[in-house]
Amino acid sequence: MLEYLRSFAYIEAIETTGSIRKAAQALYITPSALDRRLQELEAELGVILFERHARGMRVTQAGEIFLHHVRAHRADSERMRTELDRLKGLHQGRIRIAASQATASFLLPHAIRQFQMLYPGVGFHVRISTHAALLDSLRRFEADIAVVYGLPSNEDVMTRLEIPQALYALMRSDHPLASLPEVDMNACLAHPLALPDATLGLRSWVNAEIACHARRPDIALESDSLEMLRRYVSNSNAVTFQITAGVARNDPADGIAARPLKRDAATSGVLAVVQLRDRTLPQPGDAFVATLEGILRAASAAPHLPLTLSAHPD
């Protein structure tokens, strides 16, 4: 098994770098040794795993099948180790998450901290991704679950949880709109806007709300970074937008006020927790999905309020 996984590491490095030389450098072996191991593996399997071109190496369809099979095998091996650890009472493991930006500031840090209070031996790896990269992480078994806003329907994934989201306007805490319990888009359009760019799913919802009004938006800033937008409005007169999972009620230190936006458009948003279809998650992964569900359902029960972050334990 170990030799099989070692061969996989070689093939994956070639696929990632597109070059025998670069892959060999990353693996700390000579290019000739790596090329020889690739030829031996291709002879053993009876297929060509890579097409060799002047510009580098390109994986073949057979190579894709081989990589998918071994990634699945590696994921199953990791799940086996986690289950064995659980039986030994170690409560150890690592949960790998691919996530939308909207979940990075509050939801995931809060959920991970809450989970680790119960299971301190479980570690996490979180990768913030676009929709395409997020799905690729699941297919390549580089992520156990994905926590994603606005994911289009996809036959490769199975939805574990869907929670409707409210839309919020964010502004500095002493902004004129911050004195209101809720705001409408027309009031927001009287101020400069800091908007997520078209690569983020949130932009389509914001655009739908803007389109319900005759006033043209004054877009002061567009960015693919929600954190940059947040920082920008904290020191300007601009307004930006976020979903429920991206704002918090008990966070006075950052100088940001979050106010529910009165909806004018029929558009709505959903946050989903998904996994690769037909894959069995390690036990910690299933338990963490349950933790997320508890937090998100509590928030959806009071959709006019952002997430409540509990105090740090003593």
Side-chain angles (χ1 to χ4, degrees):
M1 179 187 295
L2 291 177
E3 182 61 33
Y4 192 49
L5 293 176
R6 188 176 297 112
S7 296
F8 167 68
Y10 294 162
I11 301 306
E12 188 173 44
I14 297 172
E15 183 216 19
T16 300
T17 62
S19 162
I20 289 280
R21 180 181 59 80
K22 292 179 180 178
Q25 289 176 345
L27 295 166
Y28 299 101
I29 61 176
T30 64
S32 59
L34 180 57
D35 190 44
R36 183 168 59 253
R37 184 66 193 102
L38 172 60
Q39 293 180 40
E40 291 172 353
L41 185 59
E42 289 177 327
E44 180 182 341
L45 296 173
V47 295
I48 300 300
L49 299 177
F50 288 92
E51 295 176 356
R52 292 157 171 82
H53 298 273
R55 293 186 176 182
M57 309 285 284
R58 185 167 61 197
V59 67
T60 64
Q61 186 176 2
E64 291 281 6
I65 293 171
F66 174 80
L67 286 164
H68 179 81
H69 170 73
V70 184
R71 284 176 181 135
H73 179 76
R74 184 172 63 180
D76 286 341
S77 297
E78 291 174 358
R79 182 170 62 86
M80 176 192 68
R81 293 190 189 99
T82 298
E83 293 298 325
L84 291 175
D85 286 346
R86 184 180 63 83
L87 289 174
K88 291 189 291 184
L90 296 178
H91 294 282
Q92 295 179 348
R94 180 163 293 271
I95 300 172
R96 300 166 303 170
I97 302 170
S100 294
Q101 277 196 59
T103 67
S105 294
F106 297 107
L107 173 63
L108 283 178
H110 174 52
I112 290 170
R113 185 174 66 85
Q114 182 172 311
F115 187 83
Q116 288 178 327
M117 290 172 65
L118 297 174
Y119 306 102
V122 176
F124 285 79
H125 180 273
V126 178
R127 176 179 295 173
I128 304 303
S129 306
T130 62
H131 285 169
L134 181 151
L135 288 171
D136 194 47
S137 293
L138 290 174
R139 294 188 188 107
R140 293 165 65 96
F141 296 90
E142 295 171 351
D144 301 310
I145 62 172
V147 186
V148 55
Y149 168 76
L151 181 68
S153 177
N154 190 286
E155 63 181 11
D156 290 342
V157 301
M158 176 179 70
T159 300
R160 296 286 303 270
L161 176 66
E162 284 187 330
I163 301 292
Q165 297 290 289
L167 189 61
Y168 285 81
L170 273 61
M171 69 287 298
R172 70 174 194 271
S173 57
D174 61 347
H175 192 282
L177 296 182
S179 62
L180 303 174
E182 61 179 353
V183 299
D184 60 29
M185 182 58 78
N186 195 51
C188 294
L189 289 170
H191 302 275
L193 300 184
L195 298 183
D197 71 16
T199 65
L200 302 180
L202 181 58
R203 179 61 179 267
S204 61
W205 190 357
V206 174
N207 283 348
E209 295 291 342
I210 292 174
C212 294
H213 300 272
R215 179 179 288 179
R216 294 185 61 184
D218 172 15
I219 302 175
L221 173 66
E222 292 181 277
S223 176
D224 63 354
S225 168
L226 296 180
E227 183 61 24
M228 180 178 182
L229 297 175
R230 185 183 184 87
R231 296 293 182 184
Y232 178 75
V233 302
S234 70
N235 291 289
S236 74
N237 202 40
V239 177
T240 191
F241 301 93
Q242 229 333 339
I243 59 173
T244 308
V247 294
R249 187 174 11 163
N250 298 346
D251 189 36
D254 69 352
I256 293 290
R259 298 293 178 263
L261 188 77
K262 297 176 186 177
R263 283 177 53 189
D264 296 305
T267 307
S268 60
V270 172
L271 187 75
V273 179
V274 302
Q275 69 173 78
L276 194 65
R277 189 175 298 280
D278 298 326
R279 181 182 174 192
T280 301
L281 288 184
Q283 195 240 4
D286 273 327
F288 184 67
V289 171
T291 296
L292 282 172
E293 181 172 10
I295 293 171
L296 289 168
R297 291 207 184 280
S300 66
H304 60 291
L305 293 175
L307 291 175
T308 298
L309 304 190
S310 57
H312 291 280
D314 293 333

